[in-house]
Amino acid sequence: MMNIEQRNVGIDILRAISMLMIAVHHVLLHGSILAQADPLTSQYRVAWFMEITCFCAVNVYGMISGYVGYGKSHHLSRFLQLYFQVIFYTMVTIMIFHFIRPELVTGKIVLHAIFPFAFDVYWYYTGYFCLFFLMPFLDRLMEGLTRKEADRLMLTVFIIFCVVQTIFNQQFSFSNNGYSFLWLAIMYLAGTYIKKYDLGKGNGRNYLIGYFLCVLLIWFLKIGYERIIYIWTLEQRSSERFINYTSPFVALCAVCLVVAFKEMKKGKIASKIAKFLASVSFDVYLFHDAPLVRDTFILGAFSSYLFLNPAAMMAAVLGTALAIWLIGSLIGRLRILIFSLFRMNKLCDILAAGLENLTGRLLKYNS
């Protein structure tokens, strides 16, 4: 398998941008802006336009994993580094809340913090936990396919998991609207496909236009459908059929962004900034979506933005998301310094070597 070491600046930048988009999504969703907006107001339409613009970010993150992972070795030490990164946030959060809100810290919470993958503390990490061990096999699958076979595979997956499910509004594939290991595996596979065949080479601008067209289409489908239903029945019905991770248009949004940013021109200054932002982007997610942090500081906290005019509301949402992103990035930088001080990478290398040696002995014993 090819070994590709050079970083793609555009992909690093997109990793940071997609995490900012996730913060916007959480402000709108967990902050109760979407739930409490009146469907007949401009604030409702603007809020949902922002939501749709950012909604593909999780798919983007999954595709990036496939794009940067294809052609590289998946070391167990990297998996352990990620695990310690996650429990850093769960345990530090618990220690802080032990002093400011001790009634919230229970034995169950501590158990969940130590084993976040087993209790779905962060659904994305839980999915990634399962996905990691299959990544080498997904890479081998994509590597062994011809272009025609790969095209057929991706088209088949798109039709079954995106088109058919959206048309019939049924989760018969157990993809759980994208909140699952299965969907992350599909996004990973899509990223390997983009990498292997250098999809959209030289056409980054066209794919960026495609992204905005998909966003507008989803928004018009939602607002138009709701308006027609209201005219016919005088009832306000919210429709999110095309706004889930497995929606064909949301999936296409993610593809367009990954292709557009991988084609971004490189520069030395941009490369350094992008590398730093990419290194702390997952920290932003772990920081602000930690259950205690989310439930205490974000859940239902931003519905008052709906009293602002649409432009001011948009600025407030973006400003709040940017603040979350900046604070998370600074904490991420602090976490990196702490890990460096305690030589966590070296510790993970030692643990990984021990686990791999033990696994090798077990396999040899059973063979």
Side-chain angles (χ1 to χ4, degrees):
M1 184 181 290
M2 59 181 177
N3 189 17
I4 303 168
E5 298 295 339
Q6 186 176 5
R7 298 182 71 97
N8 186 300
V9 176
I11 291 297
D12 279 345
I13 292 174
L14 180 59
R15 197 194 298 268
I17 291 176
S18 64
M19 193 50 66
L20 177 60
M21 293 166 72
I22 288 173
V24 170
H25 164 62
H26 287 162
V27 169
L28 291 167
L29 179 65
H30 300 315
S32 295
I33 294 174
L34 297 177
Q36 297 190 29
D38 185 341
L40 299 180
T41 63
S42 298
Q43 285 84 348
Y44 177 88
R45 291 188 287 272
V46 170
W48 273 105
F49 181 79
M50 296 177 69
E51 171 73 352
I52 292 166
T53 300
C54 298
F55 197 78
C56 69
V58 170
N59 287 352
V60 167
Y61 224 79
M63 288 185 190
I64 287 176
S65 295
Y67 184 88
V68 302
Y70 181 69
K72 296 182 180 179
S73 299
H74 301 281
H75 298 290
L76 183 59
S77 60
R78 172 58 190 144
F79 173 79
L80 292 174
Q81 290 170 28
L82 184 61
Y83 170 69
F84 285 118
Q85 182 180 350
V86 172
I87 64 172
F88 171 85
Y89 284 94
T90 56
M91 295 306 297
V92 168
T93 299
I94 283 177
M95 286 188 288
I96 292 174
F97 272 81
H98 177 71
F99 293 101
I100 64 174
R101 295 286 300 277
E103 71 278 6
L104 298 179
V105 180
T106 64
K108 181 180 178 180
I109 292 293
V110 174
L111 180 64
H112 289 193
I114 298 174
F115 302 104
F117 57 87
F119 298 99
D120 206 20
V121 175
Y122 298 98
W123 79 264
Y124 188 92
Y125 173 69
T126 300
Y128 187 88
F129 179 91
C130 301
L131 174 62
F132 179 86
F133 299 100
L134 292 183
M135 285 179 179
F137 304 102
L138 293 174
D139 289 349
R140 291 288 297 273
L141 170 63
M142 184 56 65
E143 183 183 16
L145 295 175
T146 65
R147 179 61 187 268
K148 184 176 180 179
E149 290 171 336
D151 290 346
R152 184 178 297 175
L153 172 62
M154 298 314 300
L155 179 61
T156 300
V157 167
F158 180 75
I159 291 174
I160 293 175
F161 288 89
C162 297
V163 178
V164 176
Q165 287 193 165
T166 300
I167 290 175
F168 293 99
N169 199 26
Q170 297 292 327
Q171 294 298 308
F172 61 88
S173 66
F174 303 101
S175 60
N176 193 28
N177 283 322
Y179 292 91
S180 69
F181 145 72
L182 177 61
W183 181 249
L184 290 185
I186 292 171
M187 292 297 95
Y188 181 90
L189 199 61
T192 66
Y193 176 87
I194 294 172
K195 180 66 168 287
K196 179 179 180 180
Y197 297 108
D198 202 9
L199 186 66
K201 184 177 182 180
N203 293 311
R205 182 178 299 178
N206 292 337
Y207 276 85
L208 190 60
I209 293 173
Y211 159 74
F212 285 111
L213 290 177
C214 286
V215 167
L216 288 173
L217 178 59
I218 297 169
W219 186 78
F220 279 121
L221 285 172
K222 174 181 172 58
I223 300 301
Y225 172 81
E226 292 176 354
R227 188 63 179 169
I228 291 172
I229 292 297
Y230 180 75
I231 292 173
W232 283 355
T233 66
L234 296 181
E235 294 181 4
Q236 296 176 356
R237 298 181 187 175
S238 180
S239 173
E240 284 87 49
R241 172 169 293 195
F242 294 101
I243 310 174
N244 59 71
Y245 297 135
T246 59
S247 163
F249 303 120
V250 173
L252 289 175
C253 278
V255 171
C256 288
L257 280 182
V258 172
V259 172
F261 275 83
K262 81 176 181 65
E263 293 296 308
M264 184 177 291
K265 293 182 179 179
K266 303 170 179 61
K268 290 184 178 180
I269 296 179
S271 298
K272 292 181 179 179
I273 295 174
K275 185 177 180 180
F276 166 74
L277 293 178
S279 67
V280 297
S281 62
F282 199 61
D283 290 84
V284 176
Y285 167 64
L286 296 175
F287 154 68
H288 83 273
D289 208 40
L292 289 174
V293 174
R294 182 185 63 232
D295 295 347
T296 304
F297 299 107
I298 298 178
L299 201 63
F302 308 116
S303 58
S304 60
Y305 291 175
L306 291 169
F307 294 103
L308 303 172
N309 65 62
M313 184 196 73
M314 180 181 291
V317 171
L318 291 175
T320 302
L322 184 59
I324 290 171
W325 184 78
L326 288 173
I327 294 171
S329 296
L330 291 175
I331 294 175
R333 183 58 185 170
L334 177 62
R335 192 269 308 166
I336 291 175
L337 291 175
I338 293 173
F339 275 30
S340 177
L341 178 65
F342 287 94
R343 303 182 68 183
M344 292 300 295
N345 288 355
K346 182 65 175 178
L347 173 62
C348 290
D349 289 341
I350 294 173
L351 291 175
L355 289 172
E356 288 170 350
N357 182 53
L358 177 61
T359 303
R361 288 175 178 270
L362 290 174
L363 291 175
K364 184 177 180 181
Y365 176 78
N366 291 323
S367 62

